[in-house]
Structure formats: structure tokens, C-alpha cells
Amino acid sequence: MKTPSMLPLQDLRILVVEDEEFIAESLQDRLEYLGAIVVGVVDTGREAIVSAQWKNPELILMDINLKDAMTGIEAAAEIRQKRAIPIVFLTGHADLETLQQTKVSDPFGYLFKPFSEADLISTIETATRRQELENQLSDSEYRFRAMLESLDEGVVSIDPDGSLSFLNPIAARLMGCDSNTVLGKPWDSVFRFQPERSAHEEIEFSSLLKSNEAVTVKGILENSLSQRVPISVTVSPILDSAKPGHKLGVVLTCKDLTEQVEFGQQMRHSEERIAAVFRNSPVAMTIVDLNNPAHTLDVNKSFEKMTMFTREQALKSIHPETSFWDSEVAFRDIYEEFRRYGRVVGKDFNFRRADGALRAGIISASPFTIGSKQYVLTSIMDITDRKETENLLRDSEQKFHAIFSQSFQFIGVLDIAGNVLEANETALRFANVSAADVIGKPFWETAWWSHSELYQEKLKSAVQRAARGEVVRLEVTHPDGEGRIHNIDFSLKPVKNKDGNITMLIPEGRDITELREMQTSLQISEAEKSELQASYLQSQKMEAVGRLAAGVAHDFNNLLTVINGYADLIDHGINDGEEANQLISEIRSAGQRASTLTKQLLAFSRKQVLKPKRVDLGVLVDELGHMLERLLGEDVILSLNIGKQLWPISVDPNQLEQVIVNLAVNARDAMHLGGTLSIEAENIVLEGDIHVGSDGKIISPGQYVVLRVSDNGSGMDPEIIGHIFEPFFTTKDQSQGTGLGLATVYGIINQSGGSIQVDSVPNQGTTFSIYLPGLASEEFTVSSSFESQPVATGSETILVVE
């Protein structure tokens, strides 16, 4: 029995395609006995194609006659088109016609039924070996073709009959053709190349193809796109090593010379441009002989203009003292530096113009080579004006530093990060420090501010503000070196460059201690000042009380006139019961109006007794809406926008209704031609910033329900807004109101713990925003539940003092 290592078909993956079941089973058993792996046994051509695709066999044993309409020959041809799998045909027919038909599928062998085990093994081994050789050849051809196609030179292969057998992509591009369409054509129908004429004769390219030695020539290739491409062609014969002297063809290696030709042209153009730059450069230039630097070979126009020497004069001068050099010493000094370092870069020197004027200049010199000759290019700039400007600037800086250092004011310079760059003597002396103690440190961390952490924070913030472009000014106090406190008027100013960018900060301080002491001596004492302020406030109060008393007296006189007049009529004996009842009704009405006036006065003074309850503002406004529509009339549209789930508030609902009605009436009167009255309500949380009401009262952070009443009427200017909550102040006629409406609103809201803000623009409208504290869900408020308790009775005596 054979061991696994001796099996001839060990692990070879084979697909069996046989329509005779008995033969297929027998063949499978024989193959597996020989060590092969039978990946499948099928009996139709279609199954064979599918199995070859998905079961990855390494060899297929294919019967020619199969069950379906597709023959084994057809199935094999389709399989070979898709995959390079060796196929061995199984057939019981050995006629020439059948064998000829199988060639379309490139068979790797035949097994004629019946066949022996030796035939089976030898045929399969021959097929697999052939496949290995073909794979190796294919890999070799692939690598060789890939190498040729990757070259940056064109490669053309010509067979002995003169036809093209191969073109790589570079060659196809140079020839302006598609390699697939020209292969097999005569070379001279595509490769139209004209070599350069030699020194003695014109070269015939076709003669070079007959040579048995490699030859390289240059010339012009005219491609199929009518483009003329300069190339270099190496003609190399392919000789048969087995048959000496026998040629297998010719290989042409073509190198594109377009870049070289263009580079040469560019170099010529570059030389021309360099010469033009030299002649027309705004910088004065000269060219001298490196071996004879005293001899000037050329100068440009700027040199002539700068020195007033003509080109002819400069070229004739061979001695430094007769040229533009100030002296031979100056020339030798420049030359010595060039000799030592091989170049001169930006060296100051003096030169003379042709008119004898001595000028300041700066010179640079660099060597260059043309061919085998060495030269020196010098560039010279006249810096006389710049020197004069530098001298003026230096004088200016000296004056500035003198003023800076000796100023009686405290002056410094900071970078935009706040680090100290410089400080004058006055500032250093005041803090009893040296420049080394403060230079490079953050300004707020220096000795000037060490006495106060508060000032350190303020100065740090001031530096940040100044770095953003803001001028900061504040008054601070400083102890001097002996501990005396000084008042300093301090400022911090940004400095911008010509582009508008802030480049530094200037801190400046002025000692105003004497000024403050003088102001203090001229001011009245604090007690006198307080007394004057109190007197002023009292006068304001008395003015308000006087205005209030006048308004109350006016309204009460009107009411008393009605009451007294009707009482006199009754007293004079009006007997008619109906008429008397009418008069009594008028008296009662006047008394009610007097009561209302009293309530308004109490609300204004915040002395009115409120009955706060837990109120849902949304429900209250919704119930009040119908009454407001009748009150506003047809010309005014009422718009309600009440937020959902408003927090409850603690207010007297009757008084809050009066607030809304008063604001609605005022809004209606402000919209003479009609408009829209909007009532909105929402929950808001105030946090962080402090909000201030129109009366200057601070609204503490917290949760609020905001009621907004807005109109698009005539609006108010700031001056009127400042008086609207004053009692009896009104912009209406005397017959249209008392001036207590908004004063009443103000009193009710303040007594309820709320605040009011007013925003108004003339001719655009007014918005009253009422902030009422919102209650938490578990919070309880004062209620009027005591009203529902049983009335207590008894026999006690009660004394009422009113």
C-alpha cells in the first residue's frame, strides 16, 4: 500500500465532468486513491462552468459528450476564456475530426477510454507540468513587459520582416498612436524619423537597422499628430545565441529630448534676461575681472546715474584714485575683505561722484563664472540720504529719551501682554525700585501695585481692555517709598502702527494729591453736605406733596360740589319722590367716586390693604379678555399670547385686574387711529446680570412671571417716561383723566413685590413689562379663606377708634 508521501497526485484539486455515473464514480475512486482531492463530479456543461468558477479546481477531467445540449468542448472553451485551468478530455472516440474540434479549448491532453492508471497519472502530471511552465512563462513575460512599460524611454521592437512587434506606452506617446492598432504594420509607416546630418553626409536610418552593432543617433520624429519631437534613438540588434550571425530583430530605444532642447533655449533666454536685468536694474552694478579687480569691465545705467560717471569713463579708469573710489585705501579695504571671505556683503564705504561730492554707500560683491573666466559682480547703493535720516532719527530718539526720562509724570512702555518694556526715572524713583526690578515682569505684579490685590486685578483687566483698543483711565492711590499715600490719575493707552495693529501700551500716571487736597479744602464739610442733600430731598418731597394735595383738592372739590348741590336741592323741599331718589342716586355715585379716589391714593402711597391670593395669571387675563374687548372699542384689536404652565403668583386679583385695565385704557388712548393691544405672559429666570426697573429699583435674580402690555400708538420720549408714575402727571386733557392711573399701577405692583419696566419709542409704541415673583409648586400664599368662616357673635362691647 502507498504511503501519503508516495501518492503521485497528492492534494491535487480535480473537477470530474462525466455523464456516465459508473465511469464518474470509478474515476473519482481512482483519483482519490492516488491522493487527489476531487472537488466535484458533474454531468453537464453548465454545471462544469459553475464548478470551475466557485470550487477552484487545479485541473479538469472533461468528457466530450455530456447530458445537456452543451458539449464538453464548448464548456472547456468557455472555462478557458475565464480562467487558465488545464483541461484533459475524456473520450471514447479517437477520430481526427473530434480531436480537431477540441483544439479551440487548448486541451492539455487526452485520455481515451478505457485507460490505465499509468495513463491517468502520466497525462495528469504532463498537464500540470505544462501549466506550471506556462505560468512561469506568463510571469516572466509579465515582469518583462511591466519593466519595459515602466521605463521613461520609448521601446520599439521590430521583427526581421520589418513589422512592429512591440511598443511600450512612452514609444506610443512619442509616435502619437495606439500600440494595439499599429502592431504588425511596417515600421517605416509609423516611425518616421529623420536623423541629424552628420559632419560629412546625411544618414539613412534604414541602413542603421541592418547593423549588428548598437548605434545612437539624434534627430526629429514626426508623429501621426504632425508633431515634430526631438529624440535620441539607440538601435540595438537582437542576435540569436544559438545561431551566430542570425538576427531575431531590432530594438529601438527612444529618449525624448524636448526638455533638453527647451532647457537650452531657456538658458539662452535666461542669459539674455540676466543681461537685460543688469543693464536696467535700479541698483548700481559693475562687473570686474576677478584677477584684475581694478579693471572695470562693465557698468549699468544706474551706476552712471548714481556716480555721474559715464560708462566710457568708468571703463577707461584702471586706477582706483581716478575712479569713484574715495581713496585707494578704501578700495584696498574692500578688496582685502573679498579676498579673505570670497565675497563682500553690505559693507559701508564712501565714494565720490564725478562732480566731486562725497557720498555714503553700501557695497556687496559676489564671484561668478562664465565658461572658464571668473568675474565679480558688485552692487552699490547710495545711502547718503538714509544716513542723514538715521542721524535725525537718532537725535530725535535722544530727545525723546531725555523727555521720557526727566518727565515729572510716571511713564512706561508695555507690550500688548502687559509686560514692562521700559519705565522712566520718575516712576522708578517713586516706587524706590530699579529698572531691573520691573523690566520683563507683568505690570500688575510690579512694586507699583504690590500694596493692593484689588488694584492688581483692576490693572490686569485694564491691560486686557487696552490691548483690545480701549483707552482706560482711573484714579488710584499709591504709597510712595516713605509710605505716604498719593492720589494718582492713571491712564493706559494703546499705540497702533501704520497698519492699525496695536503694538504696545503706554501707562501714564499723574500725581494729583495736591489737587485733591485743594479740592477738599474748598468743599463744604460732610455734615453740611448731608444737611443740604436732606433739605433738597425734603423740598422735592414737599413739591410732590403739594402737587398731590392740589390734585386731591381739585378732585374732592368737584365731588363735594356734586354732593352739596344735590343735598341743597333736597333740602329746598323737592317733594317728588322719583326726583329725590334720582338726586340721592347722584350723591351716592359721587360718594363712590370719592371712595375710588381714596383707594387710588392708598395704592399710590402703598398703604392700601391688599388681599393676596394664589393666582394663575393666564386664567385671570383670559377671563378679563371679554371685558377688555368692549372697553377698547372696535378700532383696537386685542391680541392675547399667554404662555403655558405659568408659575402661580401671589397678588390681589382685583387690584391686578385694575392694573391691566388701567394699562389697557392708556394704550387705547395712545392709539388715536386704532391699532393692536398685545398682552403677553411668560415664565423667565433672571440670573447673572442685575436688571433694573424704570424706577431704578434693582430686580433680584430669581424666577418671575412677566406680564407685557404693548401698543403701537404714539409712544413717549425719555423725558415723559421719567414722570409717568408721578401722581397727577398726565399728558391728557384735564377732562380725560386725573393722572393717578399709572401712579396706582406703580403702587399696586410695588406693594405686590413686583417691578415695572417701560420701553417706548415716539411714534412706534410702548411696552409695559411687569415682573411678578413666581411661586414654587409647594409654596403657599396668604389667602382670604377667613372670609368664609362663620361670623362670631356675642354680647361684648367693642370700641372702634377711627
Side-chain angles (χ1 to χ4, degrees):
M1 183 176 177
K2 297 178 181 179
T3 62
S5 61
M6 297 172 58
L7 296 177
L9 305 181
Q10 182 67 39
D11 295 332
L12 182 65
R13 298 173 60 83
I14 300 176
L15 172 66
V16 177
V17 185
E18 172 62 60
D19 62 344
E20 293 292 341
E21 184 176 355
F22 173 75
I23 296 176
E25 291 179 356
S26 174
L27 183 58
Q28 181 178 3
D29 292 341
R30 293 171 70 181
L31 291 171
E32 290 177 347
Y33 172 76
L34 295 172
I37 300 173
V38 179
V39 298
V41 178
V42 298
D43 56 6
T44 66
R46 285 296 163 200
E47 289 180 315
I49 293 171
V50 173
S51 298
Q53 182 70 23
W54 298 106
K55 293 188 177 181
N56 197 27
E58 296 174 291
L59 182 136
I60 300 176
L61 297 178
M62 176 78 74
D63 190 4
I64 293 178
N65 297 315
L66 300 173
K67 283 187 176 182
D68 57 357
M70 179 178 285
T71 67
I73 296 173
E74 294 171 338
E78 187 169 340
I79 290 171
R80 290 284 292 173
Q81 287 179 356
K82 296 179 179 178
R83 295 188 60 187
I85 302 175
I87 298 176
V88 175
F89 282 113
L90 305 174
T91 180
H93 305 283
D95 59 284
L96 292 177
E97 182 179 356
T98 301
L99 296 178
Q100 189 67 27
Q101 291 176 353
T102 63
K103 289 184 178 181
V104 298
S105 61
D106 189 21
F108 277 59
Y110 301 91
L111 283 172
F112 298 100
K113 303 174 185 178
F115 48 81
S116 65
E117 181 177 303
D119 292 338
L120 178 64
I121 295 172
S122 62
T123 302
I124 292 177
E125 286 182 343
T126 300
T128 55
R129 178 57 182 164
R130 175 185 164 186
Q131 183 63 40
E132 290 177 359
L133 293 175
E134 287 189 359
N135 290 341
Q136 293 174 1
L137 179 60
S138 176
D139 291 342
S140 177
E141 289 179 350
Y142 175 78
R143 287 194 294 270
F144 179 70
R145 181 176 291 272
M147 179 186 68
L148 292 178
E149 291 183 349
S150 65
L151 292 176
D152 59 356
E153 296 179 342
V155 178
V156 180
S157 175
I158 302 176
D159 286 344
D161 62 357
S163 61
L164 295 173
S165 58
F166 175 78
L167 279 81
N168 72 347
I170 298 296
R173 180 180 62 79
L174 290 173
M175 297 164 63
C177 63
D178 183 354
S179 60
N180 295 325
T181 62
V182 299
L183 293 180
K185 292 184 177 181
W187 69 269
D188 54 359
S189 67
V190 181
F191 193 79
R192 294 184 291 273
F193 176 71
Q194 180 60 48
E196 290 181 351
R197 184 183 179 89
S198 69
H200 303 289
E201 60 182 348
E202 188 171 323
I203 300 175
E204 185 67 33
F205 184 69
S206 58
S207 64
L208 300 178
L209 300 181
K210 301 174 184 178
S211 174
N212 288 335
E213 296 181 357
V215 180
T216 300
V217 293
K218 294 181 180 181
I220 300 296
L221 175 66
E222 184 175 350
N223 61 25
S224 59
L225 303 176
S226 298
Q227 296 172 334
R228 294 173 58 83
V229 183
I231 63 173
S232 168
V233 180
T234 299
V235 182
S236 303
I238 305 174
L239 302 177
D240 189 348
S241 59
K243 297 179 180 180
H246 183 257
K247 289 177 63 174
L248 300 176
V250 178
V251 173
L252 308 180
T253 305
C254 308
K255 183 175 181 62
D256 190 348
L257 302 180
T258 303
E259 289 187 2
Q260 293 182 12
V261 172
E262 291 178 350
F263 179 75
Q265 294 174 346
Q266 290 174 359
M267 285 296 294
R268 288 193 295 274
H269 294 159
S270 177
E271 290 175 359
E272 293 174 358
R273 287 196 297 269
I274 291 173
V277 169
F278 173 79
R279 288 192 301 270
N280 301 301
S281 172
V283 178
M285 293 182 178
T286 70
I287 297 176
V288 300
D289 189 337
L290 179 64
N291 297 320
N292 185 14
H295 184 201
T296 303
L297 300 176
D298 202 358
V299 298
N300 66 355
K301 295 178 181 179
S302 296
F303 179 87
E304 295 180 80
K305 182 178 179 181
M306 182 186 73
T307 65
M308 296 183 177
F309 284 102
T310 65
R311 182 171 182 271
E312 290 73 16
Q313 289 174 322
L315 299 187
K316 287 180 180 178
S317 174
I318 60 174
H319 195 282
E321 290 184 354
T322 61
S323 68
F324 71 100
W325 292 98
D326 178 38
S327 66
E328 186 173 354
V329 174
F331 171 78
R332 295 298 175 189
D333 185 38
I334 300 293
Y335 175 73
E336 195 61 32
E337 182 169 331
F338 179 86
R339 191 182 64 78
R340 184 181 300 115
Y341 300 108
R343 65 183 58 246
V344 174
V345 180
K347 185 174 181 62
D348 288 349
F349 78 114
N350 293 328
F351 68 93
R352 276 187 198 282
R353 292 193 313 208
D355 63 357
L358 186 64
R359 307 288 290 180
I362 185 170
I363 186 171
S364 296
S366 300
F368 69 98
T369 302
I370 298 179
S372 59
K373 191 73 174 174
Q374 291 184 312
Y375 303 92
V376 178
L377 175 69
T378 66
S379 58
I380 306 163
M381 294 180 61
D382 187 338
I383 60 171
T384 306
D385 295 338
R386 192 181 80 182
K387 286 282 189 181
E388 293 176 355
T389 302
E390 288 177 353
N391 293 334
L392 292 174
L393 180 60
R394 189 179 303 109
D395 293 342
S396 176
E397 287 180 351
Q398 291 175 351
K399 293 177 182 177
F400 166 77
H401 276 286
I403 296 172
F404 177 83
S405 300
Q406 303 303 321
S407 173
F408 288 112
Q409 296 191 157
F410 312 128
I411 306 174
V413 179
L414 313 178
D415 62 20
I416 58 174
N419 299 311
V420 179
L421 301 178
E422 197 168 356
N424 71 348
E425 289 296 327
T426 306
L428 296 173
R429 193 165 48 249
F430 179 82
N432 196 21
V433 294
S434 66
D437 297 328
V438 296
I439 300 300
K441 291 184 178 180
F443 185 43
W444 54 88
E445 293 181 3
T446 57
W448 290 300
W449 309 103
S450 60
H451 66 287
S452 171
E453 292 183 1
L454 176 62
Y455 281 162
Q456 288 179 337
E457 290 300 321
K458 283 187 176 182
L459 261 295
K460 186 175 182 181
S461 174
V463 166
Q464 295 171 350
R465 289 161 57 191
R468 294 194 295 267
E470 184 179 345
V471 176
V472 182
R473 187 171 183 177
L474 60 156
E475 184 173 330
V476 296
T477 57
H478 270 290
D480 60 16
E482 297 179 357
R484 292 192 301 270
I485 302 299
H486 292 252
N487 294 85
I488 306 298
D489 179 14
F490 176 81
S491 64
L492 192 59
K493 303 170 185 176
V495 178
K496 298 180 180 179
N497 61 13
K498 62 179 182 180
D499 297 324
N501 299 319
I502 298 174
T503 57
M504 66 180 69
L505 309 176
I506 302 296
E508 186 176 0
R510 185 166 59 94
D511 193 338
I512 57 172
T513 306
E514 294 182 1
L515 176 62
R516 287 288 176 261
E517 291 174 351
M518 186 180 300
Q519 290 175 340
T520 302
S521 65
L522 294 176
Q523 290 175 347
I524 58 175
S525 65
E526 286 298 321
E528 292 173 338
K529 182 178 178 181
S530 299
E531 183 177 347
L532 288 174
Q533 288 179 337
S535 298
Y536 175 68
L537 291 175
Q538 182 64 23
S539 66
Q540 287 185 317
K541 291 180 181 179
M542 293 305 296
E543 181 182 352
V545 170
R547 190 187 308 163
L548 176 61
V552 172
H554 178 270
D555 285 357
F556 263 96
N557 280 336
N558 290 340
L559 296 172
L560 292 174
T561 299
V562 174
I563 294 172
N564 292 336
Y566 287 135
D568 288 341
L569 290 176
I570 295 174
D571 188 42
H572 288 128
I574 295 177
N575 296 322
D576 188 287
E578 182 177 351
E579 185 177 356
N581 290 337
Q582 184 177 355
L583 296 176
I584 293 171
S585 177
E586 292 293 340
I587 293 173
R588 183 179 295 109
S589 176
Q592 290 175 347
R593 290 199 298 274
S595 176
T596 299
L597 178 61
T598 302
K599 289 180 180 179
Q600 288 180 325
L601 290 172
L602 289 172
F604 161 69
S605 63
R606 288 181 277 177
K607 298 298 184 180
Q608 184 178 13
V609 178
L610 300 181
K611 298 179 180 179
K613 297 180 180 179
R614 190 183 185 87
V615 173
D616 186 329
L617 182 58
V619 175
L620 184 144
V621 173
D622 187 58
E623 292 177 350
L624 195 60
H626 299 294
M627 189 268 283
L628 290 176
E629 288 179 346
R630 294 193 299 272
L631 182 65
L632 295 174
E634 298 180 353
D635 295 334
V636 177
I637 299 173
L638 177 62
S639 173
L640 299 180
N641 184 14
I642 308 302
K644 296 181 179 180
Q645 298 181 344
L646 294 178
W647 294 317
I649 55 177
S650 177
V651 295
D652 186 325
N654 294 326
Q655 297 300 323
L656 186 56
E657 287 181 357
Q658 182 181 348
V659 168
I660 297 173
V661 170
N662 283 356
L663 294 178
V665 170
N666 280 354
R668 178 200 65 190
D669 295 341
M671 296 184 288
H672 308 295
L673 301 177
T676 300
L677 173 66
S678 300
I679 299 179
E680 303 174 353
E682 64 174 341
N683 295 330
I684 70 167
V685 177
L686 300 182
E687 55 185 15
D689 296 336
I690 297 177
H691 298 258
V692 179
S694 295
D695 59 349
K697 178 182 177 182
I698 294 175
I699 306 175
S700 302
Q703 61 182 28
Y704 291 87
V705 178
V706 181
L707 173 67
R708 293 188 180 90
V709 180
S710 305
D711 64 70
N712 54 3
S714 58
M716 298 176 286
D717 58 36
E719 184 177 355
I720 293 177
I721 293 176
H723 297 284
I724 58 175
F725 293 124
E726 295 179 3
F728 301 106
F729 176 83
T730 179
T731 58
K732 303 175 185 177
D733 295 337
Q734 292 292 334
S735 60
Q736 291 184 324
T738 63
L740 283 175
L742 290 180
T744 301
V745 168
Y746 180 81
I748 292 173
I749 296 305
N750 273 272
Q751 197 169 353
S752 300
S755 299
I756 304 177
Q757 280 189 333
V758 183
D759 297 295
S760 185
V761 178
N763 301 319
Q764 294 187 25
T766 303
T767 297
F768 285 85
S769 300
I770 299 174
Y771 291 76
L772 295 167
L775 303 176
S777 58
E778 70 276 4
E779 193 172 341
F780 292 90
T781 62
V782 179
S783 69
S784 56
S785 58
F786 63 86
E787 295 176 352
S788 62
Q789 299 297 325
V791 179
T793 61
S795 58
E796 292 85 352
T797 300
I798 297 174
L799 172 63
V800 178
V801 182
E802 174 59 51

